[in-house]
C-alpha cells in the first residue's frame, strides 16, 4: 500500500512530487460528485494546510535556483487547480439544475383523462322509457325471467296446442313434471300482468315492467334470441281505449319528438280485446315513405289492447266494474329507431366501436 503523505508535513519540493500532486489532484477531482466533496478536495490541496500550499510555503527553504524553477511550476499548478475548482463547481451546479429540470412537474397541466364508463344504449333508452311512464304515475316492478308456462301462456289465454303459441318460439327449461315441461324462459313480459294483478287484491293498478325476454329464434338484423321489453298495465274503473291512446301518444311524442302522429291498427293478442298495434308516422321521411318505414310512412312501435275481461275475472277482479289496458314494447327496437341502428345484433356483440358511440 502506497504511503499517504502526512498533510501536516511539507512535501519534498521537487518536480516529481509536484507531478504527483497534479495527477492525484486531477484524478480525485474527476471523481468529485457534489459540492461537499469538492470543498473537501479544495481544502486538501489548496487549503491553508493543503498539499500544494505546503509546497509553496516550503519554497523559502530551497536554494535560489531551485526556488525559482519549482516556484514557477507550483504557482502555475495552483492557478490551474483553482481554475479547475471553479470549472467543477459550475459543472456541478449545471447538472443539479438539469436533474431538477428533468424532474420538474407542471402542476398546472391538466391530468391525463380517466376513461369513463357509460350506459349501454339499450339501458339509456330503457331508462328514458321508464322515466316517461313513471312521470305519468306508473310504478316500476320486475318479475322472474324463468317463468311458469301458466303465467307465460295459460293465464294469458294461450292454451297448450293453441296456434297462438306459434307467435312465441319458446326456450323450455329441462324440468319435467307429470310428463310435461311447465317451466320456460319467458317469451314476453306479459306474464307480469297476471303476477301484478294477483298481488294487488283490488285496482287501481298502474305498472311498467322492464326485463329480458327470450325466444328460440335464428338471429337476423331484426331478431335476437334475447331482447328487453317493457310491459305496461293500467286497471281501474272507467279506463277506456281513449286512455290507452292518450298515454301511448304522450309516450311516443316524448321519445320520438313532439310532432309525432300516432295511429292504431287492429292486431291480435289472445290476452287483449280489442288488440292493436301502435304506429307512429315515420320521423325520418315525414310520412313520404323510406327504408326505415318500409315505404309505408308508418313505423310499428308496440303491441297493445284492452285487457281481456276473462283475464280480469280470472284474477278475481270484477270485469263489470273494472277495465284496463296493456301494452308491450321491445326496447332495442325503440333504440334502433332513435339512433338509426340497422342491426339489433350490434347491441349484444360487445363491439366497443359500436358501444362508444352512445
Ligand atoms: N306481449 C306481447 C308481445 O310480446 C306484446 C303485448 C303486450 C301485446 C301487451 C298486447 C298487450 O308481442
Amino acid at each position: 500500500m502506497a504511503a499517504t503523505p502526512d498533510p501536516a508535513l511539507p512535501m519534498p519540493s521537487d518536480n516529481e512530487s509536484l507531478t504527483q500532486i497534479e495527477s492525484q489532484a486531477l484524478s480525485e477531482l474527476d471523481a468529485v460528485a457534489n459540492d461537499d466533496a469538492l470543498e473537501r478536495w479544495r481544502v486538501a490541496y489548496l487549503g491553508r494546510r493543503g498539499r500544494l500550499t505546503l509546497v509553496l510555503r516550503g519554497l523559502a527553504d530551497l536554494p535560489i535556483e531551485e526556488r525559482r524553477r519549482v516556484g514557477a511550476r507550483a504557482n502555475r499548478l495552483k492557478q490551474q487547480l483553482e481554475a479547475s475548482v471553479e470549472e467543477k463547481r459550475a459543472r456541478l451546479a449545471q447538472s443539479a439544475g438539469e436533474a431538477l429540470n428533468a424532474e420538474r412537474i407542471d402542476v398546472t397541466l391538466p391530468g391525463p383523462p380517466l376513461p369513463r364508463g357509460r350506459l349501454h344504449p339499450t339501458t339509456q333508452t330503457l331508462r328514458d322509457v321508464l322515466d316517461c311512464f313513471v312521470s305519468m304515475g306508473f310504478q316500476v316492478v320486475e318479475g322472474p325471467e324463468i317463468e311458469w308456462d301458466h303465467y307465460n301462456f295459460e293465464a294469458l289465454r294461450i292454451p297448450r296446442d293453441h296456434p297462438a303459441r306459434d307467435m312465441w318460439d319458446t326456450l323450455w327449461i329441462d324440468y319435467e313434471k307429470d310428463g310435461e315441461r311447465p317451466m320456460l324462459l319467458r317469451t314476453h313480459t306479459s306474464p307480469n300482468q297476471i303476477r301484478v294483478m294477483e298481488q294487488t287484491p283490488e285496482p287501481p293498478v298502474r305498472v311498467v315492467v322492464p326485463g329480458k325476454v327470450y325466444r328460440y329464434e335464428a338471429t337476423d338484423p331484426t331478431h335476437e334470441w334475447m331482447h328487453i321489453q317493457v310491459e305496461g298495465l293500467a286497471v281501474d274503473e272507467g279506463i277506456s281505449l281513449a286512455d290507452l291512446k292518450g298515454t301511448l301518444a304522450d309516450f311516443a311524442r316524448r321519445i320520438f319528438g313532439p310532432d309525432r302522429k300516432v295511429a292504431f291498427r287492429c292486431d291480435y293478442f289472445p290476452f287483449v280485446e280489442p288488440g292493436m298495434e301502435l304506429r307512429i308516422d315515420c320521423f325520418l321521411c315525414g310520412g313520404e315513405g323510406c327504408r326505415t318505414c318500409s315505404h309505408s310512412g308508418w313505423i310499428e312501435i308496440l303491441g297493445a289492447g284492452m285487457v281481456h275481461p276473462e283475464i280480469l275475472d280470472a284474477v278475481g277482479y270484477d270485469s263489470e266494474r273494472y277495465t284496463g289496458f296493456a301494452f308491450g314494447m321491445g326496447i332495442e327496437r325503440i333504440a334502433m329507431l332513435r339512433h338509426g341502428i340497422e342491426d339489433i345484433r350490434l347491441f349484444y356483440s360487445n363491439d366497443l366501436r359500436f358501444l362508444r358511440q352512445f
Side-chain angles (χ1 to χ4, degrees), residues 26-79:
L26 292 179
S27 87
E28 281 175 30
L29 183 63
D30 224 32
V32 160
N34 58 50
D35 288 344
D36 286 348
L38 182 61
E39 180 58 12
R40 280 198 300 278
W41 179 90
R42 194 192 62 78
V43 169
Y45 288 97
L46 300 168
R48 267 197 309 130
R49 292 177 147 276
R51 287 171 69 180
L52 188 56
T53 311
L54 293 180
V55 170
L56 284 163
R57 264 194 227 148
L59 287 174
D61 304 333
L62 292 179
I64 178 89
E65 260 311 296
E66 214 175 325
R67 187 190 311 168
R68 199 174 287 141
R69 192 173 51 77
V70 177
R73 217 187 134 202
N75 273 315
R76 269 205 309 281
L77 182 56
K78 188 181 176 201
Q79 283 170 8

Tab-separated table of all heavy atoms in Angstrom, residues 26-79:
chain	number	residue	atom	x	y	z
A	26	LEU	N	-5.941	15.957	-9.984
A	26	LEU	CA	-6.866	15.947	-11.114
A	26	LEU	C	-7.718	14.684	-11.158
A	26	LEU	O	-8.904	14.724	-11.463
A	26	LEU	CB	-6.099	16.143	-12.431
A	26	LEU	CG	-5.475	17.549	-12.574
A	26	LEU	CD1	-4.705	17.678	-13.889
A	26	LEU	CD2	-6.529	18.642	-12.449
A	27	SER	N	-7.103	13.547	-10.796
A	27	SER	CA	-7.915	12.320	-10.859
A	27	SER	C	-8.937	12.291	-9.710
A	27	SER	O	-10.063	11.858	-9.882
A	27	SER	CB	-7.035	11.078	-10.892
A	27	SER	OG	-6.729	10.668	-9.564
A	28	GLU	N	-8.549	12.820	-8.552
A	28	GLU	CA	-9.533	12.887	-7.455
A	28	GLU	C	-10.643	13.870	-7.788
A	28	GLU	O	-11.816	13.641	-7.492
A	28	GLU	CB	-8.846	13.300	-6.148
A	28	GLU	CG	-8.121	12.153	-5.474
A	28	GLU	CD	-7.349	12.604	-4.249
A	28	GLU	OE1	-7.787	13.586	-3.611
A	28	GLU	OE2	-6.311	11.977	-3.943
A	29	LEU	N	-10.253	14.953	-8.423
A	29	LEU	CA	-11.276	15.952	-8.777
A	29	LEU	C	-12.304	15.347	-9.738
A	29	LEU	O	-13.496	15.621	-9.675
A	29	LEU	CB	-10.610	17.173	-9.420
A	29	LEU	CG	-11.563	18.317	-9.762
A	29	LEU	CD1	-12.216	18.881	-8.499
A	29	LEU	CD2	-10.837	19.435	-10.521
A	30	ASP	N	-11.784	14.488	-10.602
A	30	ASP	CA	-12.667	13.841	-11.567
A	30	ASP	C	-13.779	13.059	-10.868
A	30	ASP	O	-14.909	13.001	-11.333
A	30	ASP	CB	-11.822	12.872	-12.409
A	30	ASP	CG	-12.176	12.991	-13.873
A	30	ASP	OD1	-12.540	14.112	-14.297
A	30	ASP	OD2	-12.095	11.948	-14.568
A	31	ALA	N	-13.411	12.452	-9.710
A	31	ALA	CA	-14.384	11.616	-9.004
A	31	ALA	C	-15.333	12.431	-8.121
A	31	ALA	O	-16.303	11.893	-7.595
A	31	ALA	CB	-13.642	10.596	-8.142
A	32	VAL	N	-15.050	13.722	-7.967
A	32	VAL	CA	-15.902	14.550	-7.102
A	32	VAL	C	-17.298	14.679	-7.706
A	32	VAL	O	-17.437	14.987	-8.888
A	32	VAL	CB	-15.266	15.944	-6.910
A	32	VAL	CG1	-16.297	16.947	-6.456
A	32	VAL	CG2	-14.127	15.848	-5.908
A	33	ALA	N	-18.327	14.386	-6.874
A	33	ALA	CA	-19.670	14.342	-7.445
A	33	ALA	C	-20.615	15.356	-6.820
A	33	ALA	O	-21.758	15.489	-7.262
A	33	ALA	CB	-20.240	12.925	-7.291
A	34	ASN	N	-20.181	16.051	-5.767
A	34	ASN	CA	-21.064	17.053	-5.203
A	34	ASN	C	-20.262	18.150	-4.522
A	34	ASN	O	-19.035	18.053	-4.402
A	34	ASN	CB	-22.066	16.407	-4.232
A	34	ASN	CG	-21.344	15.671	-3.104
A	34	ASN	OD1	-20.447	16.244	-2.459
A	34	ASN	ND2	-21.723	14.416	-2.874
A	35	ASP	N	-20.968	19.201	-4.086
A	35	ASP	CA	-20.304	20.389	-3.564
A	35	ASP	C	-19.471	20.079	-2.317
A	35	ASP	O	-18.378	20.619	-2.147
A	35	ASP	CB	-21.341	21.468	-3.232
A	35	ASP	CG	-21.912	22.067	-4.510
A	35	ASP	OD1	-21.307	21.868	-5.586
A	35	ASP	OD2	-22.979	22.722	-4.432
A	36	ASP	N	-19.980	19.195	-1.441
A	36	ASP	CA	-19.235	18.871	-0.216
A	36	ASP	C	-17.896	18.226	-0.549
A	36	ASP	O	-16.857	18.574	0.005
A	36	ASP	CB	-20.039	17.896	0.651
A	36	ASP	CG	-21.197	18.631	1.330
A	36	ASP	OD1	-21.202	19.884	1.288
A	36	ASP	OD2	-22.072	17.933	1.892
A	37	ALA	N	-17.943	17.249	-1.471
A	37	ALA	CA	-16.710	16.570	-1.860
A	37	ALA	C	-15.744	17.553	-2.515
A	37	ALA	O	-14.519	17.461	-2.332
A	37	ALA	CB	-17.048	15.416	-2.815
A	38	LEU	N	-16.314	18.493	-3.251
A	38	LEU	CA	-15.471	19.483	-3.917
A	38	LEU	C	-14.736	20.350	-2.880
A	38	LEU	O	-13.537	20.626	-3.010
A	38	LEU	CB	-16.326	20.361	-4.843
A	38	LEU	CG	-15.563	21.425	-5.642
A	38	LEU	CD1	-14.526	20.773	-6.567
A	38	LEU	CD2	-16.517	22.300	-6.452
A	39	GLU	N	-15.482	20.722	-1.829
A	39	GLU	CA	-14.873	21.551	-0.793
A	39	GLU	C	-13.766	20.766	-0.066
A	39	GLU	O	-12.695	21.295	0.214
A	39	GLU	CB	-15.967	22.027	0.176
A	39	GLU	CG	-15.481	22.916	1.318
A	39	GLU	CD	-14.762	24.197	0.856
A	39	GLU	OE1	-14.820	24.538	-0.350
A	39	GLU	OE2	-14.117	24.862	1.704
A	40	ARG	N	-14.045	19.486	0.196
A	40	ARG	CA	-13.019	18.668	0.851
A	40	ARG	C	-11.764	18.584	-0.014
A	40	ARG	O	-10.650	18.676	0.460
A	40	ARG	CB	-13.561	17.256	1.129
A	40	ARG	CG	-14.437	17.167	2.374
A	40	ARG	CD	-14.584	15.726	2.852
A	40	ARG	NE	-15.197	14.866	1.854
A	40	ARG	CZ	-16.516	14.788	1.666
A	40	ARG	NH1	-17.346	15.495	2.415
A	40	ARG	NH2	-16.995	13.995	0.728
A	41	TRP	N	-11.984	18.447	-1.302
A	41	TRP	CA	-10.863	18.351	-2.252
A	41	TRP	C	-10.071	19.668	-2.242
A	41	TRP	O	-8.854	19.678	-2.205
A	41	TRP	CB	-11.424	18.060	-3.648
A	41	TRP	CG	-10.367	17.957	-4.718
A	41	TRP	CD1	-9.703	16.834	-5.105
A	41	TRP	CD2	-9.839	19.039	-5.505
A	41	TRP	NE1	-8.792	17.129	-6.090
A	41	TRP	CE2	-8.849	18.482	-6.356
A	41	TRP	CE3	-10.108	20.410	-5.571
A	41	TRP	CZ2	-8.136	19.257	-7.262
A	41	TRP	CZ3	-9.392	21.172	-6.481
A	41	TRP	CH2	-8.414	20.597	-7.320
A	42	ARG	N	-10.840	20.795	-2.251
A	42	ARG	CA	-10.179	22.102	-2.280
A	42	ARG	C	-9.296	22.285	-1.038
A	42	ARG	O	-8.129	22.677	-1.140
A	42	ARG	CB	-11.226	23.212	-2.348
A	42	ARG	CG	-10.631	24.583	-2.719
A	42	ARG	CD	-11.615	25.704	-2.496
A	42	ARG	NE	-12.001	25.820	-1.073
A	42	ARG	CZ	-11.243	26.379	-0.135
A	42	ARG	NH1	-10.062	26.863	-0.432
A	42	ARG	NH2	-11.664	26.429	1.128
A	43	VAL	N	-9.889	21.933	0.126
A	43	VAL	CA	-9.122	22.081	1.362
A	43	VAL	C	-7.876	21.191	1.331
A	43	VAL	O	-6.792	21.595	1.741
A	43	VAL	CB	-10.003	21.757	2.593
A	43	VAL	CG1	-9.153	21.639	3.864
A	43	VAL	CG2	-11.083	22.819	2.751
A	44	ALA	N	-8.004	19.960	0.802
A	44	ALA	CA	-6.893	19.005	0.793
A	44	ALA	C	-5.715	19.495	-0.044
A	44	ALA	O	-4.561	19.214	0.282
A	44	ALA	CB	-7.392	17.646	0.283
A	45	TYR	N	-5.997	20.271	-1.124
A	45	TYR	CA	-4.892	20.694	-1.989
A	45	TYR	C	-4.560	22.171	-1.861
A	45	TYR	O	-3.399	22.559	-1.920
A	45	TYR	CB	-5.215	20.353	-3.456
A	45	TYR	CG	-5.128	18.874	-3.702
A	45	TYR	CD1	-6.265	18.069	-3.674
A	45	TYR	CD2	-3.878	18.261	-3.904
A	45	TYR	CE1	-6.195	16.709	-3.873
A	45	TYR	CE2	-3.792	16.898	-4.099
A	45	TYR	CZ	-4.949	16.119	-4.080
A	45	TYR	OH	-4.851	14.783	-4.252
A	46	LEU	N	-5.609	22.961	-1.696
A	46	LEU	CA	-5.379	24.402	-1.754
A	46	LEU	C	-5.650	25.105	-0.426
A	46	LEU	O	-5.437	26.312	-0.314
A	46	LEU	CB	-6.266	25.037	-2.854
A	46	LEU	CG	-6.037	24.503	-4.274
A	46	LEU	CD1	-7.152	24.962	-5.212
A	46	LEU	CD2	-4.677	24.948	-4.800
A	47	GLY	N	-6.144	24.356	0.562
A	47	GLY	CA	-6.444	24.951	1.878
A	47	GLY	C	-5.155	25.409	2.580
A	47	GLY	O	-4.043	25.196	2.064
A	48	ARG	N	-5.335	25.973	3.754
A	48	ARG	CA	-4.169	26.522	4.452
A	48	ARG	C	-3.098	25.474	4.703
A	48	ARG	O	-1.919	25.748	4.691
A	48	ARG	CB	-4.603	27.146	5.772
A	48	ARG	CG	-4.883	28.652	5.590
A	48	ARG	CD	-4.902	29.400	6.896
A	48	ARG	NE	-5.776	28.756	7.869
A	48	ARG	CZ	-5.392	28.470	9.108
A	48	ARG	NH1	-4.158	28.736	9.496
A	48	ARG	NH2	-6.239	27.917	9.956
A	49	ARG	N	-3.554	24.232	4.967
A	49	ARG	CA	-2.599	23.151	5.147
A	49	ARG	C	-2.658	22.165	3.987
A	49	ARG	O	-2.287	20.999	4.124
A	49	ARG	CB	-2.906	22.435	6.458
A	49	ARG	CG	-2.607	23.325	7.655
A	49	ARG	CD	-2.983	22.641	8.941
A	49	ARG	NE	-2.077	23.020	10.016
A	49	ARG	CZ	-0.879	22.421	10.247
A	49	ARG	NH1	-0.481	21.418	9.527
A	49	ARG	NH2	-0.113	22.850	11.213
A	50	GLY	N	-3.135	22.614	2.881
A	50	GLY	CA	-3.261	21.750	1.710
A	50	GLY	C	-1.902	21.383	1.139
A	50	GLY	O	-0.885	22.024	1.426
A	51	ARG	N	-1.897	20.304	0.358
A	51	ARG	CA	-0.632	19.764	-0.135
A	51	ARG	C	0.131	20.774	-0.991
A	51	ARG	O	1.351	20.917	-0.855
A	51	ARG	CB	-0.884	18.492	-0.926
A	51	ARG	CG	-1.260	17.327	-0.015
A	51	ARG	CD	-1.721	16.133	-0.798
A	51	ARG	NE	-0.623	15.510	-1.547
A	51	ARG	CZ	-0.795	14.430	-2.308
A	51	ARG	NH1	-2.006	13.875	-2.405
A	51	ARG	NH2	0.206	13.928	-2.964
A	52	LEU	N	-0.575	21.450	-1.852
A	52	LEU	CA	0.125	22.410	-2.716
A	52	LEU	C	0.567	23.647	-1.928
A	52	LEU	O	1.667	24.175	-2.133
A	52	LEU	CB	-0.793	22.814	-3.881
A	52	LEU	CG	-0.126	23.667	-4.961
A	52	LEU	CD1	1.119	22.989	-5.532
A	52	LEU	CD2	-1.107	24.012	-6.068
A	53	THR	N	-0.290	24.057	-0.991
A	53	THR	CA	0.049	25.215	-0.170
A	53	THR	C	1.355	24.968	0.601
A	53	THR	O	2.213	25.841	0.694
A	53	THR	CB	-1.102	25.486	0.821
A	53	THR	OG1	-2.317	25.490	0.097
A	53	THR	CG2	-0.934	26.832	1.525
A	54	LEU	N	1.475	23.741	1.110
A	54	LEU	CA	2.681	23.412	1.873
A	54	LEU	C	3.924	23.445	0.981
A	54	LEU	O	4.996	23.879	1.406
A	54	LEU	CB	2.523	22.056	2.554
A	54	LEU	CG	1.448	22.014	3.659
A	54	LEU	CD1	1.364	20.611	4.272
A	54	LEU	CD2	1.757	23.057	4.743
A	55	VAL	N	3.753	22.993	-0.253
A	55	VAL	CA	4.888	23.040	-1.178
A	55	VAL	C	5.314	24.489	-1.384
A	55	VAL	O	6.495	24.842	-1.326
A	55	VAL	CB	4.528	22.407	-2.533
A	55	VAL	CG1	5.622	22.669	-3.571
A	55	VAL	CG2	4.306	20.904	-2.365
A	56	LEU	N	4.296	25.365	-1.606
A	56	LEU	CA	4.596	26.773	-1.845
A	56	LEU	C	5.301	27.390	-0.632
A	56	LEU	O	6.237	28.174	-0.769
A	56	LEU	CB	3.305	27.540	-2.167
A	56	LEU	CG	2.776	27.295	-3.595
A	56	LEU	CD1	1.326	27.714	-3.736
A	56	LEU	CD2	3.663	27.984	-4.632
A	57	ARG	N	4.781	26.995	0.567
A	57	ARG	CA	5.408	27.539	1.768
A	57	ARG	C	6.855	27.080	1.933
A	57	ARG	O	7.703	27.800	2.436
A	57	ARG	CB	4.619	27.149	3.004
A	57	ARG	CG	3.652	28.249	3.410
A	57	ARG	CD	3.180	27.960	4.806
A	57	ARG	NE	1.751	28.095	4.850
A	57	ARG	CZ	0.958	27.398	5.641
A	57	ARG	NH1	1.469	26.478	6.437
A	57	ARG	NH2	-0.339	27.604	5.609
A	58	GLY	N	7.105	25.826	1.491
A	58	GLY	CA	8.442	25.261	1.664
A	58	GLY	C	9.466	25.847	0.692
A	58	GLY	O	10.674	25.561	0.795
A	59	LEU	N	8.978	26.662	-0.273
A	59	LEU	CA	9.902	27.194	-1.273
A	59	LEU	C	11.049	27.993	-0.652
A	59	LEU	O	12.171	27.946	-1.124
A	59	LEU	CB	9.132	28.107	-2.263
A	59	LEU	CG	8.228	27.419	-3.273
A	59	LEU	CD1	7.435	28.436	-4.075
A	59	LEU	CD2	9.042	26.513	-4.186
A	60	ALA	N	10.701	28.706	0.439
A	60	ALA	CA	11.685	29.597	1.058
A	60	ALA	C	12.963	28.861	1.471
A	60	ALA	O	14.038	29.449	1.488
A	60	ALA	CB	11.044	30.281	2.267
A	61	ASP	N	12.809	27.562	1.778
A	61	ASP	CA	13.972	26.810	2.238
A	61	ASP	C	14.850	26.321	1.093
A	61	ASP	O	15.875	25.699	1.333
A	61	ASP	CB	13.511	25.573	3.048
A	61	ASP	CG	12.620	25.998	4.187
A	61	ASP	OD1	12.768	27.152	4.649
A	61	ASP	OD2	11.763	25.180	4.596
A	62	LEU	N	14.411	26.550	-0.131
A	62	LEU	CA	15.164	25.991	-1.259
A	62	LEU	C	16.250	26.946	-1.729
A	62	LEU	O	16.127	28.168	-1.570
A	62	LEU	CB	14.208	25.715	-2.425
A	62	LEU	CG	13.176	24.597	-2.225
A	62	LEU	CD1	12.290	24.460	-3.464
A	62	LEU	CD2	13.860	23.273	-1.897
A	63	PRO	N	17.266	26.367	-2.300
A	63	PRO	CA	18.281	27.226	-2.917
A	63	PRO	C	17.642	28.044	-4.023
A	63	PRO	O	16.676	27.587	-4.652
A	63	PRO	CB	19.299	26.225	-3.491
A	63	PRO	CG	18.790	24.857	-3.205
A	63	PRO	CD	17.515	24.933	-2.439
A	64	ILE	N	18.178	29.202	-4.278
A	64	ILE	CA	17.551	30.191	-5.112
A	64	ILE	C	17.178	29.681	-6.497
A	64	ILE	O	16.055	29.882	-6.975
A	64	ILE	CB	18.430	31.479	-5.195
A	64	ILE	CG1	17.789	32.538	-6.126
A	64	ILE	CG2	19.829	31.168	-5.715
A	64	ILE	CD1	16.868	33.431	-5.425
A	65	GLU	N	18.098	28.902	-7.121
A	65	GLU	CA	17.845	28.392	-8.474
A	65	GLU	C	16.599	27.518	-8.519
A	65	GLU	O	15.695	27.727	-9.309
A	65	GLU	CB	19.061	27.561	-8.934
A	65	GLU	CG	20.009	28.307	-9.866
A	65	GLU	CD	19.293	28.978	-10.994
A	65	GLU	OE1	18.676	28.243	-11.842
A	65	GLU	OE2	19.260	30.226	-11.071
A	66	GLU	N	16.653	26.590	-7.543
A	66	GLU	CA	15.565	25.605	-7.488
A	66	GLU	C	14.255	26.306	-7.122
A	66	GLU	O	13.175	25.973	-7.623
A	66	GLU	CB	15.877	24.521	-6.458
A	66	GLU	CG	15.343	23.159	-6.881
A	66	GLU	CD	15.776	22.087	-5.907
A	66	GLU	OE1	16.913	22.211	-5.380
A	66	GLU	OE2	14.971	21.193	-5.644
A	67	ARG	N	14.350	27.286	-6.190
A	67	ARG	CA	13.176	28.017	-5.729
A	67	ARG	C	12.455	28.648	-6.919
A	67	ARG	O	11.242	28.546	-7.090
A	67	ARG	CB	13.599	29.110	-4.749
A	67	ARG	CG	12.408	29.783	-4.101
A	67	ARG	CD	12.807	31.020	-3.328
A	67	ARG	NE	13.920	30.806	-2.431
A	67	ARG	CZ	14.593	31.804	-1.826
A	67	ARG	NH1	14.243	33.047	-2.018
A	67	ARG	NH2	15.596	31.540	-1.052
A	68	ARG	N	13.214	29.220	-7.853
A	68	ARG	CA	12.626	29.890	-8.994
A	68	ARG	C	11.909	28.873	-9.887
A	68	ARG	O	10.777	29.048	-10.296
A	68	ARG	CB	13.721	30.628	-9.769
A	68	ARG	CG	13.147	31.711	-10.691
A	68	ARG	CD	14.228	32.536	-11.338
A	68	ARG	NE	14.887	33.470	-10.446
A	68	ARG	CZ	16.199	33.745	-10.461
A	68	ARG	NH1	16.998	33.139	-11.299
A	68	ARG	NH2	16.716	34.611	-9.629
A	69	ARG	N	12.633	27.780	-10.121
A	69	ARG	CA	12.115	26.769	-11.051
A	69	ARG	C	10.847	26.112	-10.472
A	69	ARG	O	9.791	26.111	-11.090
A	69	ARG	CB	13.195	25.704	-11.295
A	69	ARG	CG	12.886	24.760	-12.442
A	69	ARG	CD	14.073	23.853	-12.710
A	69	ARG	NE	14.583	23.167	-11.505
A	69	ARG	CZ	13.958	22.102	-10.961
A	69	ARG	NH1	12.861	21.609	-11.499
A	69	ARG	NH2	14.452	21.551	-9.889
A	70	VAL	N	11.039	25.621	-9.235
A	70	VAL	CA	9.911	24.915	-8.616
A	70	VAL	C	8.770	25.891	-8.343
A	70	VAL	O	7.595	25.583	-8.541
A	70	VAL	CB	10.348	24.211	-7.312
A	70	VAL	CG1	9.148	23.551	-6.648
A	70	VAL	CG2	11.429	23.189	-7.606
A	71	GLY	N	9.129	27.112	-7.892
A	71	GLY	CA	8.093	28.111	-7.569
A	71	GLY	C	7.222	28.423	-8.759
A	71	GLY	O	5.991	28.459	-8.655
A	72	ALA	N	7.873	28.608	-9.915
A	72	ALA	CA	7.088	28.941	-11.108
A	72	ALA	C	6.104	27.827	-11.420
A	72	ALA	O	4.917	28.042	-11.689
A	72	ALA	CB	8.030	29.175	-12.289
A	73	ARG	N	6.607	26.640	-11.289
A	73	ARG	CA	5.756	25.493	-11.632
A	73	ARG	C	4.612	25.329	-10.620
A	73	ARG	O	3.468	25.081	-10.967
A	73	ARG	CB	6.595	24.213	-11.649
A	73	ARG	CG	6.095	23.336	-12.774
A	73	ARG	CD	6.673	22.005	-12.851
A	73	ARG	NE	5.558	21.104	-13.041
A	73	ARG	CZ	5.592	19.832	-12.752
A	73	ARG	NH1	6.682	19.312	-12.252
A	73	ARG	NH2	4.532	19.086	-12.960
A	74	ALA	N	4.986	25.492	-9.343
A	74	ALA	CA	3.981	25.336	-8.288
A	74	ALA	C	2.895	26.390	-8.431
A	74	ALA	O	1.700	26.110	-8.257
A	74	ALA	CB	4.636	25.425	-6.913
A	75	ASN	N	3.272	27.616	-8.785
A	75	ASN	CA	2.274	28.661	-8.959
A	75	ASN	C	1.356	28.397	-10.151
A	75	ASN	O	0.150	28.628	-10.083
A	75	ASN	CB	2.948	30.031	-9.115
A	75	ASN	CG	3.185	30.662	-7.753
A	75	ASN	OD1	2.287	30.646	-6.907
A	75	ASN	ND2	4.395	31.168	-7.520
A	76	ARG	N	1.932	27.882	-11.225
A	76	ARG	CA	1.079	27.525	-12.375
A	76	ARG	C	0.061	26.463	-11.965
A	76	ARG	O	-1.109	26.524	-12.302
A	76	ARG	CB	1.954	27.006	-13.516
A	76	ARG	CG	2.418	28.104	-14.484
A	76	ARG	CD	2.722	27.521	-15.862
A	76	ARG	NE	3.616	26.355	-15.811
A	76	ARG	CZ	4.968	26.444	-15.669
A	76	ARG	NH1	5.532	27.623	-15.526
A	76	ARG	NH2	5.688	25.348	-15.654
A	77	LEU	N	0.601	25.468	-11.210
A	77	LEU	CA	-0.295	24.389	-10.772
A	77	LEU	C	-1.393	24.945	-9.870
A	77	LEU	O	-2.564	24.552	-9.968
A	77	LEU	CB	0.507	23.304	-10.045
A	77	LEU	CG	-0.301	22.094	-9.574
A	77	LEU	CD1	-1.046	21.440	-10.753
A	77	LEU	CD2	0.619	21.065	-8.894
A	78	LYS	N	-1.028	25.907	-9.009
A	78	LYS	CA	-2.028	26.493	-8.120
A	78	LYS	C	-3.144	27.153	-8.938
A	78	LYS	O	-4.333	26.924	-8.730
A	78	LYS	CB	-1.374	27.514	-7.193
A	78	LYS	CG	-2.330	28.019	-6.127
A	78	LYS	CD	-1.689	29.039	-5.230
A	78	LYS	CE	-2.717	29.583	-4.242
A	78	LYS	NZ	-2.319	30.864	-3.703
A	79	GLN	N	-2.717	27.953	-9.932
A	79	GLN	CA	-3.714	28.607	-10.780
A	79	GLN	C	-4.585	27.576	-11.510
A	79	GLN	O	-5.799	27.708	-11.606
A	79	GLN	CB	-3.011	29.503	-11.809
A	79	GLN	CG	-2.529	30.806	-11.209
A	79	GLN	CD	-1.624	31.562	-12.188
A	79	GLN	OE1	-1.487	31.164	-13.366
A	79	GLN	NE2	-1.005	32.627	-11.713
